mmCIF file of all heavy atoms in Angstrom:
data_model
loop_
_atom_site.group_PDB
_atom_site.id
_atom_site.type_symbol
_atom_site.label_atom_id
_atom_site.label_comp_id
_atom_site.label_asym_id
_atom_site.label_seq_id
_atom_site.Cartn_x
_atom_site.Cartn_y
_atom_site.Cartn_z
ATOM 1 N N LYS A 218 -43.837 -14.992 -160.031
ATOM 2 C CA LYS A 218 -44.074 -14.582 -158.655
ATOM 3 C C LYS A 218 -45.440 -13.907 -158.561
ATOM 4 O O LYS A 218 -45.861 -13.185 -159.472
ATOM 5 C CB LYS A 218 -42.984 -13.617 -158.190
ATOM 6 C CG LYS A 218 -41.568 -14.182 -158.282
ATOM 7 C CD LYS A 218 -41.302 -15.259 -157.255
ATOM 8 C CE LYS A 218 -39.835 -15.659 -157.227
ATOM 9 N NZ LYS A 218 -39.516 -16.646 -156.170
ATOM 10 N N ARG A 219 -46.116 -14.131 -157.453
ATOM 11 C CA ARG A 219 -47.474 -13.605 -157.290
ATOM 12 C C ARG A 219 -47.488 -12.350 -156.417
ATOM 13 O O ARG A 219 -46.750 -12.251 -155.449
ATOM 14 C CB ARG A 219 -48.366 -14.662 -156.629
ATOM 15 C CG ARG A 219 -48.682 -15.850 -157.520
ATOM 16 C CD ARG A 219 -49.417 -16.928 -156.736
ATOM 17 N NE ARG A 219 -48.533 -17.607 -155.798
ATOM 18 C CZ ARG A 219 -48.928 -18.157 -154.645
ATOM 19 N NH1 ARG A 219 -50.195 -18.074 -154.274
ATOM 20 N NH2 ARG A 219 -48.072 -18.779 -153.866
ATOM 21 N N ILE A 221 -50.086 -10.368 -154.067
ATOM 22 C CA ILE A 221 -51.328 -10.639 -153.347
ATOM 23 C C ILE A 221 -51.660 -9.424 -152.496
ATOM 24 O O ILE A 221 -50.797 -8.898 -151.782
ATOM 25 C CB ILE A 221 -51.163 -11.885 -152.455
ATOM 26 C CG1 ILE A 221 -50.767 -13.097 -153.317
ATOM 27 C CG2 ILE A 221 -52.449 -12.170 -151.684
ATOM 28 C CD1 ILE A 221 -50.398 -14.333 -152.506
ATOM 29 N N VAL A 340 -54.162 -22.937 -145.902
ATOM 30 C CA VAL A 340 -53.026 -22.027 -145.787
ATOM 31 C C VAL A 340 -52.719 -21.830 -144.303
ATOM 32 O O VAL A 340 -53.613 -21.508 -143.518
ATOM 33 C CB VAL A 340 -53.348 -20.660 -146.435
ATOM 34 C CG1 VAL A 340 -52.180 -19.698 -146.258
ATOM 35 C CG2 VAL A 340 -53.697 -20.836 -147.904
ATOM 36 N N LEU A 341 -51.462 -22.047 -143.933
ATOM 37 C CA LEU A 341 -51.046 -21.761 -142.568
ATOM 38 C C LEU A 341 -50.535 -20.337 -142.500
ATOM 39 O O LEU A 341 -49.542 -19.987 -143.153
ATOM 40 C CB LEU A 341 -49.939 -22.731 -142.133
ATOM 41 C CG LEU A 341 -49.338 -22.459 -140.740
ATOM 42 C CD1 LEU A 341 -50.394 -22.604 -139.657
ATOM 43 C CD2 LEU A 341 -48.154 -23.364 -140.471
ATOM 44 N N MET A 343 -48.963 -17.315 -140.216
ATOM 45 C CA MET A 343 -48.141 -17.187 -139.014
ATOM 46 C C MET A 343 -47.800 -15.736 -138.771
ATOM 47 O O MET A 343 -47.356 -15.042 -139.684
ATOM 48 C CB MET A 343 -46.826 -17.965 -139.171
ATOM 49 C CG MET A 343 -46.971 -19.439 -139.358
ATOM 50 S SD MET A 343 -45.376 -20.192 -139.816
ATOM 51 C CE MET A 343 -44.273 -19.470 -138.610
ATOM 52 N N ALA A 374 -43.591 -23.768 -138.668
ATOM 53 C CA ALA A 374 -43.779 -23.817 -140.123
ATOM 54 C C ALA A 374 -43.562 -25.241 -140.644
ATOM 55 O O ALA A 374 -44.355 -25.757 -141.446
ATOM 56 C CB ALA A 374 -42.820 -22.849 -140.813
ATOM 57 N N VAL A 378 -46.566 -27.749 -142.300
ATOM 58 C CA VAL A 378 -46.502 -28.362 -143.635
ATOM 59 C C VAL A 378 -46.631 -29.888 -143.520
ATOM 60 O O VAL A 378 -47.320 -30.532 -144.317
ATOM 61 C CB VAL A 378 -45.204 -27.955 -144.352
ATOM 62 C CG1 VAL A 378 -45.018 -28.748 -145.637
ATOM 63 C CG2 VAL A 378 -45.222 -26.463 -144.649
ATOM 64 N N GLY A 383 -50.792 -26.406 -147.439
ATOM 65 C CA GLY A 383 -50.278 -26.336 -148.798
ATOM 66 C C GLY A 383 -49.574 -25.035 -149.122
ATOM 67 O O GLY A 383 -49.025 -24.865 -150.217
ATOM 68 N N GLU A 384 -49.567 -24.118 -148.162
ATOM 69 C CA GLU A 384 -48.978 -22.798 -148.383
ATOM 70 C C GLU A 384 -48.804 -22.135 -147.022
ATOM 71 O O GLU A 384 -49.528 -22.452 -146.072
ATOM 72 C CB GLU A 384 -49.929 -21.975 -149.261
ATOM 73 C CG GLU A 384 -49.352 -20.759 -149.910
ATOM 74 C CD GLU A 384 -50.267 -20.244 -151.027
ATOM 75 O OE1 GLU A 384 -51.392 -19.816 -150.715
ATOM 76 O OE2 GLU A 384 -49.862 -20.278 -152.194
ATOM 77 N N ILE A 385 -47.839 -21.222 -146.922
ATOM 78 C CA ILE A 385 -47.626 -20.473 -145.681
ATOM 79 C C ILE A 385 -47.667 -18.986 -145.982
ATOM 80 O O ILE A 385 -47.016 -18.515 -146.912
ATOM 81 C CB ILE A 385 -46.272 -20.823 -145.036
ATOM 82 C CG1 ILE A 385 -46.286 -22.262 -144.494
ATOM 83 C CG2 ILE A 385 -45.929 -19.851 -143.906
ATOM 84 C CD1 ILE A 385 -44.953 -22.723 -143.940
ATOM 85 N N VAL A 386 -48.457 -18.258 -145.200
ATOM 86 C CA VAL A 386 -48.380 -16.795 -145.206
ATOM 87 C C VAL A 386 -47.597 -16.400 -143.967
ATOM 88 O O VAL A 386 -48.020 -16.662 -142.839
ATOM 89 C CB VAL A 386 -49.767 -16.130 -145.196
ATOM 90 C CG1 VAL A 386 -49.636 -14.619 -145.018
ATOM 91 C CG2 VAL A 386 -50.512 -16.427 -146.477
ATOM 92 N N LEU A 387 -46.452 -15.795 -144.183
ATOM 93 C CA LEU A 387 -45.524 -15.489 -143.100
ATOM 94 C C LEU A 387 -45.512 -13.994 -142.853
ATOM 95 O O LEU A 387 -44.963 -13.226 -143.647
ATOM 96 C CB LEU A 387 -44.132 -15.987 -143.490
ATOM 97 C CG LEU A 387 -43.001 -15.710 -142.509
ATOM 98 C CD1 LEU A 387 -43.272 -16.351 -141.158
ATOM 99 C CD2 LEU A 387 -41.679 -16.209 -143.090
ATOM 100 N N ASN A 388 -46.113 -13.586 -141.747
ATOM 101 C CA ASN A 388 -46.206 -12.155 -141.459
ATOM 102 C C ASN A 388 -45.255 -11.762 -140.332
ATOM 103 O O ASN A 388 -45.288 -12.339 -139.243
ATOM 104 C CB ASN A 388 -47.637 -11.781 -141.064
ATOM 105 C CG ASN A 388 -47.802 -10.277 -140.956
ATOM 106 O OD1 ASN A 388 -47.461 -9.534 -141.875
ATOM 107 N ND2 ASN A 388 -48.305 -9.810 -139.826
ATOM 108 N N GLU A 400 -39.119 -8.708 -143.749
ATOM 109 C CA GLU A 400 -38.150 -9.358 -142.872
ATOM 110 C C GLU A 400 -37.465 -10.465 -143.681
ATOM 111 O O GLU A 400 -37.965 -11.585 -143.785
ATOM 112 C CB GLU A 400 -38.878 -9.956 -141.662
ATOM 113 C CG GLU A 400 -38.257 -9.626 -140.333
ATOM 114 C CD GLU A 400 -37.015 -10.434 -140.034
ATOM 115 O OE1 GLU A 400 -36.464 -11.076 -140.937
ATOM 116 O OE2 GLU A 400 -36.590 -10.414 -138.874
ATOM 117 N N LEU A 403 -36.054 -13.947 -141.789
ATOM 118 C CA LEU A 403 -37.135 -14.871 -141.416
ATOM 119 C C LEU A 403 -37.745 -15.528 -142.649
ATOM 120 O O LEU A 403 -37.966 -16.749 -142.680
ATOM 121 C CB LEU A 403 -38.211 -14.094 -140.644
ATOM 122 C CG LEU A 403 -39.500 -14.841 -140.302
ATOM 123 C CD1 LEU A 403 -39.213 -15.996 -139.352
ATOM 124 C CD2 LEU A 403 -40.511 -13.871 -139.692
ATOM 125 N N THR A 404 -38.004 -14.733 -143.674
ATOM 126 C CA THR A 404 -38.633 -15.261 -144.889
ATOM 127 C C THR A 404 -37.740 -16.292 -145.568
ATOM 128 O O THR A 404 -38.198 -17.377 -145.958
ATOM 129 C CB THR A 404 -38.949 -14.117 -145.867
ATOM 130 O OG1 THR A 404 -39.723 -13.127 -145.197
ATOM 131 C CG2 THR A 404 -39.740 -14.634 -147.062
ATOM 132 N N ARG A 405 -36.474 -15.971 -145.713
ATOM 133 C CA ARG A 405 -35.539 -16.894 -146.362
ATOM 134 C C ARG A 405 -35.387 -18.186 -145.562
ATOM 135 O O ARG A 405 -35.372 -19.282 -146.118
ATOM 136 C CB ARG A 405 -34.182 -16.207 -146.536
ATOM 137 C CG ARG A 405 -33.143 -17.064 -147.257
ATOM 138 C CD ARG A 405 -31.901 -16.256 -147.609
ATOM 139 N NE ARG A 405 -31.390 -15.520 -146.463
ATOM 140 C CZ ARG A 405 -31.384 -14.182 -146.354
ATOM 141 N NH1 ARG A 405 -31.858 -13.427 -147.323
ATOM 142 N NH2 ARG A 405 -30.898 -13.593 -145.267
ATOM 143 N N MET A 406 -35.295 -18.068 -144.251
ATOM 144 C CA MET A 406 -35.125 -19.239 -143.391
ATOM 145 C C MET A 406 -36.278 -20.227 -143.563
ATOM 146 O O MET A 406 -36.059 -21.439 -143.710
ATOM 147 C CB MET A 406 -35.042 -18.788 -141.928
ATOM 148 C CG MET A 406 -34.890 -19.915 -140.930
ATOM 149 S SD MET A 406 -34.583 -19.272 -139.241
ATOM 150 C CE MET A 406 -36.157 -18.479 -138.875
ATOM 151 N N ILE A 407 -37.490 -19.716 -143.580
ATOM 152 C CA ILE A 407 -38.642 -20.610 -143.707
ATOM 153 C C ILE A 407 -38.821 -21.077 -145.147
ATOM 154 O O ILE A 407 -39.145 -22.244 -145.394
ATOM 155 C CB ILE A 407 -39.894 -19.925 -143.128
ATOM 156 C CG1 ILE A 407 -39.724 -19.847 -141.596
ATOM 157 C CG2 ILE A 407 -41.170 -20.667 -143.512
ATOM 158 C CD1 ILE A 407 -40.860 -19.226 -140.848
ATOM 159 N N SER A 408 -38.576 -20.207 -146.115
ATOM 160 C CA SER A 408 -38.695 -20.614 -147.529
ATOM 161 C C SER A 408 -37.755 -21.764 -147.847
ATOM 162 O O SER A 408 -38.104 -22.681 -148.599
ATOM 163 C CB SER A 408 -38.392 -19.432 -148.455
ATOM 164 O OG SER A 408 -39.352 -18.409 -148.319
ATOM 165 N N GLU A 409 -36.558 -21.741 -147.278
ATOM 166 C CA GLU A 409 -35.582 -22.797 -147.541
ATOM 167 C C GLU A 409 -35.902 -24.091 -146.804
ATOM 168 O O GLU A 409 -35.414 -25.161 -147.181
ATOM 169 C CB GLU A 409 -34.183 -22.319 -147.144
ATOM 170 C CG GLU A 409 -33.631 -21.244 -148.062
ATOM 171 C CD GLU A 409 -32.273 -20.707 -147.634
ATOM 172 O OE1 GLU A 409 -31.883 -20.931 -146.463
ATOM 173 O OE2 GLU A 409 -31.604 -20.072 -148.480
ATOM 174 N N ALA A 410 -36.740 -24.000 -145.762
ATOM 175 C CA ALA A 410 -36.991 -25.167 -144.909
ATOM 176 C C ALA A 410 -38.227 -25.970 -145.306
ATOM 177 O O ALA A 410 -38.369 -27.117 -144.883
ATOM 178 C CB ALA A 410 -37.130 -24.718 -143.456
ATOM 179 N N VAL A 411 -39.130 -25.378 -146.089
ATOM 180 C CA VAL A 411 -40.367 -26.078 -146.437
ATOM 181 C C VAL A 411 -40.491 -26.223 -147.956
ATOM 182 O O VAL A 411 -39.867 -25.471 -148.712
ATOM 183 C CB VAL A 411 -41.614 -25.348 -145.886
ATOM 184 C CG1 VAL A 411 -41.564 -25.274 -144.362
ATOM 185 C CG2 VAL A 411 -41.750 -23.944 -146.472
ATOM 186 N N ASN A 412 -41.308 -27.183 -148.372
ATOM 187 C CA ASN A 412 -41.452 -27.462 -149.810
ATOM 188 C C ASN A 412 -42.795 -26.995 -150.351
ATOM 189 O O ASN A 412 -43.302 -27.547 -151.325
ATOM 190 C CB ASN A 412 -41.259 -28.962 -150.075
ATOM 191 C CG ASN A 412 -42.305 -29.810 -149.352
ATOM 192 O OD1 ASN A 412 -43.081 -29.284 -148.553
ATOM 193 N ND2 ASN A 412 -42.322 -31.103 -149.626
ATOM 194 N N VAL A 413 -43.379 -25.992 -149.690
ATOM 195 C CA VAL A 413 -44.622 -25.385 -150.183
ATOM 196 C C VAL A 413 -44.370 -23.899 -150.387
ATOM 197 O O VAL A 413 -43.396 -23.342 -149.841
ATOM 198 C CB VAL A 413 -45.798 -25.599 -149.193
ATOM 199 C CG1 VAL A 413 -46.045 -27.089 -148.968
ATOM 200 C CG2 VAL A 413 -45.548 -24.882 -147.877
ATOM 201 N N PRO A 414 -45.219 -23.219 -151.166
ATOM 202 C CA PRO A 414 -45.021 -21.782 -151.377
ATOM 203 C C PRO A 414 -45.082 -20.989 -150.077
ATOM 204 O O PRO A 414 -45.898 -21.276 -149.191
ATOM 205 C CB PRO A 414 -46.188 -21.403 -152.300
ATOM 206 C CG PRO A 414 -46.556 -22.674 -152.983
ATOM 207 C CD PRO A 414 -46.338 -23.752 -151.978
ATOM 208 N N VAL A 415 -44.204 -19.999 -149.963
ATOM 209 C CA VAL A 415 -44.194 -19.090 -148.824
ATOM 210 C C VAL A 415 -44.517 -17.688 -149.322
ATOM 211 O O VAL A 415 -43.882 -17.182 -150.251
ATOM 212 C CB VAL A 415 -42.834 -19.099 -148.100
ATOM 213 C CG1 VAL A 415 -42.776 -18.005 -147.031
ATOM 214 C CG2 VAL A 415 -42.574 -20.465 -147.475
ATOM 215 N N ILE A 416 -45.521 -17.076 -148.698
ATOM 216 C CA ILE A 416 -45.935 -15.717 -149.040
ATOM 217 C C ILE A 416 -45.405 -14.780 -147.966
ATOM 218 O O ILE A 416 -45.726 -14.924 -146.789
ATOM 219 C CB ILE A 416 -47.473 -15.617 -149.102
ATOM 220 C CG1 ILE A 416 -48.027 -16.564 -150.165
ATOM 221 C CG2 ILE A 416 -47.911 -14.179 -149.383
ATOM 222 C CD1 ILE A 416 -49.519 -16.808 -150.040
ATOM 223 N N ALA A 417 -44.580 -13.834 -148.377
ATOM 224 C CA ALA A 417 -44.020 -12.868 -147.436
ATOM 225 C C ALA A 417 -45.035 -11.771 -147.153
ATOM 226 O O ALA A 417 -45.668 -11.242 -148.064
ATOM 227 C CB ALA A 417 -42.749 -12.261 -148.013
ATOM 228 N N SER A 418 -45.167 -11.418 -145.874
ATOM 229 C CA SER A 418 -46.136 -10.398 -145.478
ATOM 230 C C SER A 418 -45.536 -9.494 -144.412
ATOM 231 O O SER A 418 -44.818 -9.959 -143.530
ATOM 232 C CB SER A 418 -47.398 -11.081 -144.939
ATOM 233 O OG SER A 418 -48.289 -10.144 -144.384
ATOM 234 N N VAL A 430 -37.552 -9.327 -151.406
ATOM 235 C CA VAL A 430 -38.095 -10.497 -150.702
ATOM 236 C C VAL A 430 -38.375 -11.660 -151.662
ATOM 237 O O VAL A 430 -38.303 -12.818 -151.280
ATOM 238 C CB VAL A 430 -39.337 -10.116 -149.873
ATOM 239 C CG1 VAL A 430 -40.620 -10.072 -150.736
ATOM 240 C CG2 VAL A 430 -39.512 -11.090 -148.706
ATOM 241 N N LEU A 431 -38.647 -11.337 -152.933
ATOM 242 C CA LEU A 431 -38.909 -12.391 -153.920
ATOM 243 C C LEU A 431 -37.620 -13.002 -154.477
ATOM 244 O O LEU A 431 -37.658 -14.080 -155.067
ATOM 245 C CB LEU A 431 -39.763 -11.834 -155.062
ATOM 246 C CG LEU A 431 -41.181 -11.419 -154.668
ATOM 247 C CD1 LEU A 431 -41.854 -10.649 -155.796
ATOM 248 C CD2 LEU A 431 -42.036 -12.636 -154.281
ATOM 249 N N GLY A 434 -35.055 -13.008 -150.358
ATOM 250 C CA GLY A 434 -35.864 -13.685 -149.341
ATOM 251 C C GLY A 434 -36.434 -15.021 -149.788
ATOM 252 O O GLY A 434 -36.990 -15.767 -148.980
ATOM 253 N N LYS A 435 -36.329 -15.293 -151.106
ATOM 254 C CA LYS A 435 -36.759 -16.567 -151.692
ATOM 255 C C LYS A 435 -38.254 -16.851 -151.510
ATOM 256 O O LYS A 435 -38.678 -18.002 -151.520
ATOM 257 C CB LYS A 435 -35.924 -17.722 -151.143
ATOM 258 C CG LYS A 435 -34.434 -17.565 -151.441
ATOM 259 C CD LYS A 435 -33.645 -18.811 -151.162
ATOM 260 C CE LYS A 435 -32.196 -18.623 -151.570
ATOM 261 N NZ LYS A 435 -31.369 -19.819 -151.312
ATOM 262 N N ALA A 436 -39.048 -15.792 -151.339
ATOM 263 C CA ALA A 436 -40.497 -15.972 -151.234
ATOM 264 C C ALA A 436 -41.086 -16.274 -152.604
ATOM 265 O O ALA A 436 -40.556 -15.868 -153.645
ATOM 266 C CB ALA A 436 -41.138 -14.721 -150.652
ATOM 267 N N ASP A 437 -42.204 -16.980 -152.598
ATOM 268 C CA ASP A 437 -42.911 -17.292 -153.843
ATOM 269 C C ASP A 437 -43.908 -16.204 -154.215
ATOM 270 O O ASP A 437 -44.316 -16.093 -155.368
ATOM 271 C CB ASP A 437 -43.658 -18.624 -153.693
ATOM 272 C CG ASP A 437 -42.703 -19.774 -153.447
ATOM 273 O OD1 ASP A 437 -42.201 -20.340 -154.429
ATOM 274 O OD2 ASP A 437 -42.437 -20.094 -152.274
ATOM 275 N N ALA A 438 -44.307 -15.429 -153.213
ATOM 276 C CA ALA A 438 -45.276 -14.359 -153.440
ATOM 277 C C ALA A 438 -45.064 -13.287 -152.382
ATOM 278 O O ALA A 438 -44.495 -13.549 -151.312
ATOM 279 C CB ALA A 438 -46.702 -14.899 -153.364
ATOM 280 N N ALA A 439 -45.523 -12.084 -152.687
ATOM 281 C CA ALA A 439 -45.447 -10.982 -151.724
ATOM 282 C C ALA A 439 -46.845 -10.450 -151.477
ATOM 283 O O ALA A 439 -47.596 -10.181 -152.414
ATOM 284 C CB ALA A 439 -44.541 -9.872 -152.246
ATOM 285 N N LEU A 440 -47.171 -10.311 -150.210
ATOM 286 C CA LEU A 440 -48.463 -9.761 -149.827
ATOM 287 C C LEU A 440 -48.273 -8.279 -149.529
ATOM 288 O O LEU A 440 -47.331 -7.891 -148.846
ATOM 289 C CB LEU A 440 -48.987 -10.514 -148.604
ATOM 290 C CG LEU A 440 -50.410 -10.205 -148.152
ATOM 291 C CD1 LEU A 440 -51.066 -11.477 -147.616
ATOM 292 C CD2 LEU A 440 -50.415 -9.131 -147.083
#
Side-chain angles (χ1 to χ4, degrees):
K218 302 289 189 176
R219 290 173 288 151
I221 302 172
V340 178
L341 176 62
M343 298 170 48
V378 171
E384 197 165 65
I385 291 175
V386 173
L387 178 60
N388 188 52
E400 228 283 14
L403 173 64
T404 306
R405 182 170 50 247
M406 179 173 67
I407 290 181
S408 295
E409 290 177 344
V411 299
N412 61 353
V413 301
V415 172
I416 300 164
S418 172
V430 82
L431 294 170
K435 300 192 176 180
D437 298 274
L440 187 145

